Amino acid sequence: MMRARKIDYLVMQNSEEFLARLTVVYGFPGRHQFPMTVIFPVDDEMTTINCGGDPPADQYPPAWRFGGQKQAGACYFPTIQYTNTMEAEITVGVLKEKKNPTVGLVEQAFIPVPFYKYLVDHLPGAKFVDAPSGGRDQGNQEP
């Protein structure tokens, strides 16, 4: 699906334990309103971003669970406003590896506004699309 739609990355962001595709696709949920982001590149290992210390600190879930995934972390909490973009900052760092990427946003209803806004503002050449449930572009981020 990613290759057919020319999507470079799928981004899933969630903090909901029970009602999210992140649990179904990834096998581990966001827990107790602690956000988790998973980035699936079309041609590389996935990256997980969790609330906690940056590796080598212990991460949830453990890297061995998925065979060598890339992991990152920061101490961010939705209730502490000045941390609201920390997870998005790490995500942008990953997405910037490709020039003008097409980013498929999965389960957009679970993506917080500050996270999405930071991505759009800091990836001006990126194209954001609804994935995998549709094909509607999100905004006007065409190069």
Side-chain angles (χ1 to χ4, degrees), residues 6-142:
K6 297 182 177 150
I7 295 174
D8 298 303
Y9 298 99
L10 290 178
V11 173
M12 306 169 92
Q13 201 282 345
N14 194 291
S15 62
E16 170 59 46
E17 188 167 0
F18 301 106
L19 299 173
R21 190 177 308 263
L22 185 61
T23 304
V24 174
V25 172
Y26 183 57
F28 283 88
R31 308 247 2 225
H32 311 298
Q33 295 303 307
F34 290 98
M36 175 190 291
T37 296
V38 177
I39 303 166
F40 287 98
V42 71
D43 56 4
D44 199 1
E45 291 180 316
M46 71 178 154
T47 298
T48 58
I49 305 167
N50 290 288
C51 183
D54 208 20
D58 289 338
Q59 294 284 302
Y60 169 84
W64 56 262
R65 172 67 168 88
F66 295 99
Q69 72 192 17
K70 299 172 186 177
Q71 293 183 303
C75 290
Y76 53 86
F77 303 93
T79 56
I80 303 174
Q81 186 173 1
Y82 70 86
T83 69
N84 282 347
T85 62
M86 287 182 172
E87 190 174 15
E89 291 169 29
I90 297 168
T91 302
V92 165
V94 173
L95 301 179
K96 277 188 172 179
E97 292 176 8
K98 290 189 187 243
K99 185 176 180 174
N100 301 326
T102 297
V103 179
L105 300 172
V106 180
E107 294 288 329
Q108 293 179 44
F110 290 101
I111 297 175
V113 170
F115 182 89
Y116 175 75
K117 186 171 176 3
Y118 192 91
L119 295 186
V120 170
D121 290 348
H122 291 84
L123 294 167
K127 178 180 178 183
F128 296 88
V129 297
D130 186 19
S133 60
R136 197 176 77 234
D137 288 348
Q138 303 299 310
N140 58 352
Q141 285 71 47
E142 299 271 338

